[in-house]
């Protein structure tokens, strides 16, 4: 997101924040006008699930100008009310479930507009170590940076950090204290308070919480970045790094973070103080998932060090292996649990939708594979994405065969189908990662 797409008044906010890192910005809520709300609506995903009112983006767009004018009037007169959030559950890799909140469209629009305003201020403060939900940044850039930093800084020890239930543990009073270091505006505080205190509808049960911010909320990623900027990023760069003997790095994507250290002594010292640092702000590191990983590169020509470990970050397992030239380098492959989950999910889709015309199935499967390659198609991960491709073809053949009484489809017949409806073959999309 660039300030150049906004009005001069909003660009001025970013300029003031950049010129004086210690300045507290006041009076930004009045920028929540119809133009900003329209821009926020334009930037929202239009295919997202509707909230408890059932209104879709297409329905809202039919009278978008009248709807936004009414929404702006309610914001201006302080009669805007946040609506309860619909909660759904999605499975995690460890077998547990993660709650996801679905907001009504108007709440998404206002949250997006507020996030755009706050981003103009905090983007001037955020460090390069933060990659999640920021303009011009992505998971692939984080993966690329981690690989380069490990090799360039002779990193031999990784702190694989897991913050336990971060989004459910954010202390709201603490967040407002951190927010007010840069932005102090009663209008913004009121809106954030409405979203923090809104009810959560889980089935027929309506509940309220005193901690946390709902995962799935449009404003939640920015809340996470602001919170962890002060709790982790700024602390690591200004207080931890100067006290270490060797080189180090931090890479964070929302609440998912890893630290790299040149020396084991430095890594263990930071590991010892991490729990205390997080407890100060109401957070906890997971006692089992937060671990120290030995990641030393063997000498040139030496055999693999069996005591070395691996670590997971952003869907990929990182490990040391030899390049084609014999040098030890960092390589990545899809986390096995995620690989199995993707294969199972695609097979289940083929089973449930086997009644659809073959052409419709092919269009959906092509979209699924293309999207999968777009994320997981990085250098060194070809075998993993090829296995997904092969498994999906196998599942498609199996469930197409169940459409008839014979219950079997030969590979020869499948080849004829694939000749007419070819599935995209695995390919490395993100070659630079």
């Amino acid at each position: 997101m660039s300030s150049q797409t906004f009005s001069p008044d909003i660009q001025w906010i970013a300029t003031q924040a950049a010129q004086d890192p210690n300045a507290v910005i006041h009076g930004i809520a009045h920028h929540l006008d119809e133009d900003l709300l329209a821009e926020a609506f334009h930037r929202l995903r239009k295919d997202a699930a509707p909230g408890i009112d059932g209104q879709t983006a297409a329905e809202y767009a039919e009278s978008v100008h009248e709807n936004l004018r009414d929404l702006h009037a309610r914001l201006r007169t302080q009669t805007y009310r946040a609506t309860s959030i619909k909660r759904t559950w999605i499975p995690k890799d460890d077998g547990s479930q993660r709650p996801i909140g679905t907001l009504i469209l108007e709440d998404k629009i206002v949250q997006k507009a507020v996030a755009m305003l706050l981003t103009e201020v905090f983007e001037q403060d955020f460090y390069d170590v933060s990659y999640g939900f920021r303009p011009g940044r992505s998971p692939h850039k984080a993966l690329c940076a981690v690989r380069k930093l490990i090799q360039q800084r002779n990193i031999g020890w990784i702190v694989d950090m897991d913050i336990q239930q971060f989004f459910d543990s954010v202390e709201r009073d603490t967040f407002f204290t951190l927010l007010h270091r840069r932005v102090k505006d009663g209008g913004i505080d009121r809106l954030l308070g409405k979203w923090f205190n809104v009810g959560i509808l889980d089935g027929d049960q309506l509940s309220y919480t005193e901690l946390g911010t709902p995962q799935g909320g449009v404003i939640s990623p920015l809340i996470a970045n602001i919170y962890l900027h002060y709790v982790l990023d700024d602390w690591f760069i200004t207080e931890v790094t100067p006290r270490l003997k060797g080189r180090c790095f931090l890479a964070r994507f929302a609440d998912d973070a890893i630290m790299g250290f040149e020396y084991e002594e430095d890594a263990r010292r930071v590991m010892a103080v991490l729990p205390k640092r997080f407890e100060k702000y109401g957070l906890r590191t997971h006692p089992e998932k937060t671990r120290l990983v030995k990641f030393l590169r063997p000498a040139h020509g030496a055999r693999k060090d069996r005591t070395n470990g691996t670590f997971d970050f952003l869907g990929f397992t990182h490990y040391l292996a030899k390049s084609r030239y014999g040098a030890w380098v960092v390589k990545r492959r899809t986390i096995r649990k995620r690989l199995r989950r993707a294969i199972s999910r695609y097979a289940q889709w083929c089973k449930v939708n086997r009644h659809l015309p073959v052409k419709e199935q092919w269009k959906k499967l092509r979209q699924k594979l293309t999207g999968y390659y777009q994320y997981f198609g990085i250098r060194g991960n070809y075998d993993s994405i090829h296995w997904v491709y092969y498994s999906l073809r196998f599942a498609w053949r199996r469930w197409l065969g169940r459409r008839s009484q014979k219950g079997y489809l030969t590979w020869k017949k499948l080849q004829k189908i694939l000749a007419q409806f070819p599935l995209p073959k695995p390919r490395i999309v993100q070659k630079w990662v």
Side-chain angles (χ1 to χ4, degrees):
M1 187 190 309
S2 171
S3 298
Q4 301 303 316
T5 62
F6 294 146
S7 68
D9 287 342
I10 297 179
Q11 293 178 35
W12 177 84
I13 295 174
T15 303
Q16 287 294 107
Q19 288 177 350
D20 188 354
N22 297 315
V24 178
I25 309 298
H26 298 268
I28 66 172
H30 68 276
H31 291 294
L32 291 169
D33 54 19
E34 288 186 45
D35 290 338
L36 187 60
L37 293 173
E39 179 65 20
F41 174 72
H42 174 71
R43 297 189 184 192
L44 288 175
R45 282 183 52 195
K46 303 302 187 292
D47 59 346
I52 62 174
D53 64 350
Q55 187 177 46
T56 65
E59 293 169 349
Y60 196 85
E62 293 176 0
S63 304
V64 64
H65 297 297
E66 293 80 3
N67 290 332
L68 292 177
R69 189 177 302 115
D70 177 66
L71 177 59
H72 176 244
R74 281 181 278 136
L75 287 170
R76 190 179 66 252
T77 58
Q78 297 184 19
T79 57
Y80 161 80
R81 297 290 182 268
T83 305
S84 298
I85 299 172
K86 181 171 67 175
R87 172 175 283 173
T88 55
W89 298 85
I90 61 173
K92 296 174 64 175
D93 291 336
D94 59 5
S96 61
Q97 291 186 313
R98 173 187 289 116
I100 296 294
T102 305
L103 286 67
I104 68 166
L105 186 63
E106 283 199 335
D107 286 347
K108 292 179 183 178
I109 294 172
V110 182
Q111 286 195 15
K112 185 66 175 179
V114 171
M116 290 159 67
L117 283 177
L118 293 178
T119 295
E120 292 301 300
V121 177
F122 283 98
E123 270 300 311
Q124 317 308 320
D125 299 344
F126 289 160
Y127 294 103
D128 289 340
V129 302
S130 171
Y131 292 89
F133 306 100
R134 293 182 57 195
R137 292 174 170 262
S138 68
H140 292 116
K141 290 189 176 181
L143 291 165
C144 183
V146 166
R147 185 175 185 271
K148 286 183 177 180
L149 289 167
I150 288 175
Q151 297 184 169
Q152 292 174 356
R153 299 188 181 181
N154 197 32
I155 299 299
W157 299 87
I158 300 292
V159 174
D160 187 0
M161 185 171 52
D162 183 273
I163 304 175
Q164 198 167 7
Q165 297 180 326
F166 169 77
F167 285 95
D168 294 330
S169 304
V170 169
E171 292 184 344
R172 295 165 184 175
D173 290 341
T174 302
F175 169 74
F176 279 115
T177 300
L178 298 175
L179 174 70
H180 293 165
R181 293 186 184 184
R182 284 299 257 158
V183 175
K184 201 166 187 179
D185 184 288
I188 298 296
D189 287 355
R190 279 192 297 273
L191 289 173
L192 288 167
K194 293 177 188 293
W195 299 325
F196 278 141
N197 296 308
V198 74
I200 307 294
L201 187 64
D202 193 346
D204 296 328
Q205 187 71 32
L206 183 65
S207 60
Y208 297 86
T209 61
E210 296 180 359
L211 289 174
T213 177
Q215 292 191 56
V218 177
I219 197 73
S220 295
L222 181 59
I223 290 174
N225 277 338
I226 294 172
Y227 207 86
L228 290 175
H229 166 74
Y230 293 108
V231 175
L232 181 60
D233 303 354
D234 188 64
W235 169 74
F236 185 85
I237 290 173
T238 61
E239 297 185 36
V240 174
T241 301
R243 292 177 169 85
L244 301 180
K245 294 181 179 179
R247 290 171 289 183
C248 63
F249 77 85
L250 167 68
R252 181 177 63 80
F253 192 95
D255 62 327
D256 192 2
I258 60 168
M259 300 175 180
F261 301 90
E262 188 174 4
Y263 300 129
E264 180 181 6
E265 179 186 353
D266 289 339
R268 293 195 179 278
R269 287 173 58 199
V270 175
M271 276 279 289
V273 299
L274 263 180
K276 298 177 183 177
R277 175 66 183 179
F278 283 118
E279 286 173 8
K280 181 179 177 182
Y281 294 90
L283 304 176
R284 291 179 297 169
T285 55
H286 198 290
E288 297 176 0
K289 295 182 180 179
T290 300
R291 61 197 181 98
L292 180 62
V293 179
K294 182 182 177 183
F295 211 71
L296 289 169
R297 279 179 290 175
H300 186 74
R303 293 183 178 181
K304 182 178 180 180
D305 186 348
R306 298 293 179 181
T307 63
N308 266 346
T310 63
F311 67 92
D312 296 339
F313 187 56
L314 298 180
F316 294 89
T317 296
H318 294 64
Y319 63 100
L320 289 170
K322 284 188 176 182
S323 69
R324 67 178 66 181
Y325 304 108
W328 289 96
V329 296
V330 179
K331 293 190 175 183
R332 287 77 53 92
R333 61 173 180 264
T334 308
I335 296 174
R336 287 191 175 93
K337 287 182 179 179
R338 292 209 177 184
L339 188 65
R340 290 194 296 266
R341 189 173 66 186
I343 292 171
S344 176
R345 187 171 66 247
Y346 294 158
Q348 181 66 17
W349 189 93
C350 291
K351 176 183 177 181
V352 172
N353 296 278
R354 64 184 184 271
H355 63 283
L356 295 176
V358 173
K359 187 174 182 179
E360 289 188 28
Q361 292 188 47
W362 167 70
K363 287 181 179 179
K364 291 292 185 180
L365 292 176
R366 183 180 61 178
Q367 292 174 0
K368 291 178 183 295
L369 281 178
T370 301
Y372 191 86
Y373 300 157
Q374 189 68 33
Y375 187 83
F376 288 100
I378 69 172
R379 286 189 303 171
N381 196 40
Y382 181 84
D383 288 347
S384 294
I385 61 175
H386 184 271
W387 183 241
V388 171
Y389 167 77
Y390 175 82
S391 300
L392 188 147
R393 285 207 321 167
F394 185 87
W396 199 27
R397 167 180 167 265
R398 177 188 179 188
W399 292 109
L400 282 178
R402 296 293 183 92
R403 286 154 58 103
S404 67
Q405 293 181 350
K406 293 182 179 180
Y408 183 75
L409 181 71
T410 65
W411 281 107
K412 187 175 182 179
K413 289 183 178 180
L414 179 66
Q415 291 299 332
K416 290 183 179 180
I417 294 175
L418 291 175
Q420 185 178 2
F421 303 108
L423 294 173
K425 293 185 177 180
R427 63 190 183 96
I428 302 302
V429 179
Q430 310 290 348
K431 297 180 180 180
W432 57 277
V433 181

